[in-house]
Amino acid sequence: MSTTARAQKAPDTRGPVRKLLTSFGFQILAALVLGVAAGLIGRQLGATAENPNGLSATLDTIGNSYVTLLRAAVVPLIFTAIVASISNLRRVQNAARLAGQTILWFAITAFIAVIIGIVLGLVIQPGNRAGEGLETGEPYTVGTWWNFLLGLIPQNFLGLTVSTSPGEADGTFSSSVGFNILQVIVVAAVIGIAALKAGKKAEPFLVFTESLLKVIQRVLWWIIRIAPLGTFGLIGSAVIKYGWEKLASLGWFAAAVYIGLALVLFVVYPILVRTHGLSIKQYFSGVWPAVQLAFVSRSSIGTLPLTERVTERNLGVPRSYASFAVPLGATTKMDGCAAIYPAIAAIFVAQFFGIELNFVQYLLIVIVSVVGSAATAGTTGAVVMLTLTLSTLGLPLEGVGLLLAIDPILDMGRTAVNVAGQALIPTIVAKREGILNEELYNAPREGLPFADDSGDDEAPEADAASDKEPVSAR
């Protein structure tokens, strides 16, 4: 495969102050600081989750509106991304080998992450150090292996569901439309495979799907551009709703989770990067825009367009492979939500209820984490994965209620680690298979990874040869 350098662009004449102010990373960090300040001001004015005021309501509306924008694009994004990624495999020689290597490394990193979670749970013993005032409660959703398998069977073309419930005040009925992301993935995968099997007759459909994906991604670039505004609202609202008091009784549990996340992100991942002969600094500078957005949005699916862009544009993974591996990772690669968190949480619940876990149960935690990652399906939160783990171990599901108070705080870190891993695996697999553009990987980071520069959709710097010749794996 030939390697290419970045496309030449006009010199950047912006001054240092303007460069700083227009930096996506700076804008996110500034929004975080301002959001925390606004949240603290709101609490000083007496706002709480139960008694909101004008400031808290405004912050909540801003944050929820941003998340709603991200979620609105989930179904079309996933459908077109999965179909297009499967169709792109026709351009890749030894596609089965690449897919197998990708899934294998997903499992390897999940195994490492869950072992770290188990060790931290046993060493820190968060369940034995839990504070007073914790209340048990039934989870609003329960994950079981049977329900997981049944959930794979599409109820309709897009996996849409409609739920109707009576209002508490006036008794009127209201309906809401939702979707099962696993069913969307199954439908998209089947259609993508069928299109490949149909051959030339399906070419117009595949071309249309790839074009539609570009349109959806363009809309998502616009949504990503206002991420600092969403960050301001989400962080400010979180500070008002949860404050620091909620962390008091679950402080050791939160510490154990974040220590585990930090070990994976800043120790395990850099070791994998270095052992494959790549620069750790370049990996973090390349993936950091996606990690920041993931921390704020708490959604791997919502961050998917940016994750795919930095994987191609910053880390040098060929588009033909990245367009398959990154969407797959966004739905199944969950080191934070599906490995570290359920391991520590399961041990916390067992310790809190005074239940001794045996070797077989610890082994089950590992198996559930490595095999059951798809149960989280890239959506916000990890309650489904936790209930799946607890039900497999035979632990009381009421224990989920103990942890819900601080789940949004933990979910920020979990999702950031998820996304960092979703970009890492395609990078090291591409390196191992000899298809990584190392010149691009080691190039200076310039501009926004989703900038609307001319020719952006073609992204010649990411994979100039992918549309002209097949990418071959060694």
Side-chain angles (χ1 to χ4, degrees), residues 6-7 34 59 65 72 76 79 119 160 178 181 185 192 211 219 228 243 265 273 348 391 410 429 461 469 471:
R6 278 185 185 272
L34 292 175
L59 292 170
S65 297
F79 181 83
V119 171
L160 296 176
I181 194 64
I185 294 169
S211 298
V219 173
L265 181 59
V273 170
F348 172 91
S391 60
L410 301 180
V429 170
E461 69 274 21
E469 60 185 72
V471 177

Side-chain angles (χ1 to χ4, degrees), residues 257-275:
V257 171
Y258 267 96
I259 290 172
L261 296 173
L263 287 174
V264 171
L265 181 59
F266 297 114
V267 178
V268 175
Y269 288 172
I271 289 175
L272 290 175
V273 170
R274 174 54 64 189
T275 54

Side-chain angles (χ1 to χ4, degrees), residues 339-407:
I340 295 171
Y341 175 73
I344 297 176
I347 293 174
F348 172 91
V349 171
Q351 292 171 348
F352 185 86
F353 286 100
I355 300 172
E356 288 288 337
L357 298 179
N358 55 40
F359 175 79
V360 173
Q361 289 173 307
Y362 287 118
L363 183 61
L364 284 174
I365 293 176
V366 175
I367 294 174
V368 172
S369 297
V370 173
V371 178
S373 297
T376 57
T379 55
T380 303
V383 174
V384 172
M385 189 63 195
L386 176 55
T387 57
L388 178 64
T389 305
L390 294 180
S391 60
T392 303
L393 298 178
L395 295 175
L397 293 177
E398 299 93 319
V400 175
L402 300 169
L403 310 174
L404 289 180
I406 63 168
D407 190 73

Side-chain angles (χ1 to χ4, degrees), residues 28-44 55 59 231-240 243-244 295 412:
I28 290 289
L29 291 176
L32 282 169
V33 174
L34 292 175
V36 170
L40 293 175
I41 292 173
R43 291 187 69 83
Q44 287 296 319
L55 177 58
L59 292 170
T231 299
F232 173 74
L234 288 167
I235 296 299
S237 178
V239 170
I240 291 176
W244 309 115
F295 183 84
M412 294 177 178

